[in-house]
Amino acid sequence: MAQISLTLPDGNARQYDAGITAGEVAADISKSLGKKAISATVNGAHYDLAWPIDADADIAIHTMQDEEQANELVRHDLAHIMARAVQEIWPDTKVTIGPVIKDGWYYDFDRAESFTPEDLGTIEKKMKEIINKRDEVRTEVWDRARAIKHYEDLGEPYKVELIEAIPGDEPLRMYWHGDWQDLCRGPHLQHTGQVPGDSFKLMSIAGAYWRGDSDRAMLQRIYGVAFTGKEKLRAHLNMLEEAAKRDHRKLGREMDLYHMQEEAPGQVFWHANGWLIYTQLQDYMRRQQRKGGYVEVNTPQVVDRKLWEASGHWEKYQENMFIVEVDEEHAREKAVNALKPMNCPCHVQIFNQGMKSYRDLPLRMAEFGSCNRYEPSGALHGIMRVRGFTQDDGHIFCREDQIEEETAIYIEFLRGIYKDLGFENFKVKFSDRPETRSGSDEVWDKAEEALLSATRKAGIEPELNPGEGAFYGPKLEFVLTDAIGRDWQCGTHQVDFVLPERLDATYVGSDGGKHRPVMLHRATLGSFERFIGILIEEHAGKLPFWLAPRQVVVASITSEADDYVMEVVETLKAAGVRAEADMRNEKINYKVREHSVGKVPVILAVGAREVEEKTVSVRRLGQKQTSVQALSDVAQELSVEATPPDLRA
């Protein structure tokens, strides 16, 4: 029998007969590893312990201590175990697909009756019974004809359709969990008892069209989450509970920030409170950009398709654009325009006005650009995912030898802004060329090398994010981590050699000849809508004082204090604090509760004693204790807090 060489992570190689399984390799390394092993990575691919290895390879054996691989297996097995449980309880149910997703899995079912929330408990109980049986998990490889006949005999039409849709004619892998069988590429654990029975939970039921086609059957999707230990499950459920409290949609209502309605899907109706946050943030960014050497411009909302064709957006991005047809003076052919989905082609038009010299570069151009992009209705999510938004967009036109310096300058610019807004740390991802792109491989090689080198020289080693670049160039993505551990991709920085070429942007070099500028696309907050949503959730509505739309409510305890209430309000306004009076004939505890729900940072209570002593009783949001302070001291203290961080001495 042919021999193969398997190289372990420590560099040592072992010789085996071709066809040996990863499970046998683990047992050969040590008896204890053979017992603990759950899967292997073979030449970068995740392998089931039962799969044969037929050629020389690098191999690493995994145990439950390897979080990434263990989570994948546990969640994948639970998808099968859940489908088995459903069919054992309701035998007429048809099964479809059940993939692993972030933190868990889902499985889609075709069942005449609707699942209820109470059914989830019944299914969980049956799943734990299956886990406790410790049924063997085994796999076989079948040809397609045999697999199709098998599912036809079982009355599983969705599995038949899945097989017929798989390209090629290679054989298929079939898995059994006990007597229950599913079509699956694997890998899986070795028996159901390896799944931690106390570390999963079924979460919800939703509708889902078969294969995402609204003309096909509506199925029922059950979602579950799972981890390798009950403590991790508990932490995840606590995080979800905390996230629900922080949901910007809920807080947006309570704080009276904005609303959305079906007549304008994916568009935001900003109320006075929300718009105040928006304009405060925009004013802050405008000051920072001026300080950073940017010139601010503004470009049209509706632009002729000719520009989008020239830029490449018409070909690569049209499905995300809102098209506008205009009958220009009853011409025979309507003019076709588009609402701009991004600002970059328009900024090139400004650059192209007049001759530019190498001495003019870098030219840093910024715009609070209102953009519109078509997002499927199912993808819309409050103000986090919308169709109409405004970016703090910027483009830096520079020479090729300035890419490195400009990238380093921008990273420091972004770092200072994130720090001011309460985010001390961020991660950076490097996204390289996508499948659909403009420009030659040579241009992409140059752009990727320049951006990666510049990032590393700025002292940052980015995570690789393969294939996720823009169609015109590679990009850096700046990812913030919020107070409960969630990641938010906000800022971007992209190197683009393509668009200046397509739109014929040039500058006169020191040699007197014409040269192409490099275009660096950058956004720091991203969209204002999304970033405000992130801020609301990060702070659970308790925004930094300078950003809070309602900073202080001065509440009367008795009507005799009304005049003093107004004196306090005027004193605070004179100190630059947003203050309002609450002199309603309500008990002070009622007023405090109401304004606390509205996330007012400071409530000043005023009664007879405060009137006499010229003081106020100070209650800060989230604190039970109150303190009595002189009005002059409170006004001075709050005046400092109300000053944006970049304007403080």
Side-chain angles (χ1 to χ4, degrees), residues 149-195:
K149 185 177 186 309
H150 172 76
Y151 286 119
E152 286 176 342
D153 292 345
L154 285 178
E156 293 286 7
Y158 297 100
K159 294 295 183 185
V160 173
E161 186 177 333
L162 282 173
I163 294 171
E164 291 174 341
I166 298 173
D169 58 0
E170 69 274 7
L172 305 173
R173 189 165 288 281
M174 312 288 273
Y175 270 92
W176 283 261
H177 282 66
D179 294 329
W180 187 86
Q181 187 276 330
D182 203 357
L183 168 73
C184 185
R185 68 175 181 269
H188 281 281
L189 295 166
Q190 288 67 63
H191 61 82
T192 62
Q194 287 179 295
V195 175

Side-chain angles (χ1 to χ4, degrees), residues 550 552-556 561-570 572-573 578-584 591 594-595 604:
R550 301 173 64 208
V552 179
V553 169
V554 185
S556 59
D562 287 355
D563 289 344
Y564 184 54
V565 166
M566 294 311 301
E567 180 185 335
V568 173
V569 167
E570 293 306 317
L572 292 173
K573 285 181 176 179
R578 291 187 285 278
E580 58 192 86
D582 184 349
M583 298 182 292
R584 294 173 298 165
K591 295 178 182 180
E594 183 180 85
H595 297 308
L604 303 180

Side-chain angles (χ1 to χ4, degrees), residues 4 18 32 229 319:
I4 60 172
S32 63
E319 64 183 21

Side-chain angles (χ1 to χ4, degrees), residues 111 236 391 431 481 484 489 494 528 534 547 556 589 601 611:
R111 180 176 175 237
H236 179 75
Q391 286 182 307
S431 301
T481 301
I484 58 175
Q489 187 265 305
Q494 304 164 28
F528 278 90
I534 292 169
L547 267 179
S556 59
N589 288 342
V611 171

Side-chain angles (χ1 to χ4, degrees), residues 276-287:
L276 204 150
I277 299 171
Y278 197 111
T279 54
Q280 285 284 105
L281 201 55
Q282 192 175 76
D283 289 346
Y284 165 79
M285 285 303 302
R286 179 171 280 120
R287 292 191 299 270

Side-chain angles (χ1 to χ4, degrees), residues 397-416:
F397 296 88
C398 66
R399 303 188 309 268
E400 195 171 329
D401 64 332
Q402 293 174 318
I403 293 173
E404 190 175 301
E405 182 182 8
E406 285 301 306
T407 296
I409 289 170
Y410 177 64
I411 289 173
E412 285 310 304
F413 173 84
L414 174 142
R415 195 192 304 274

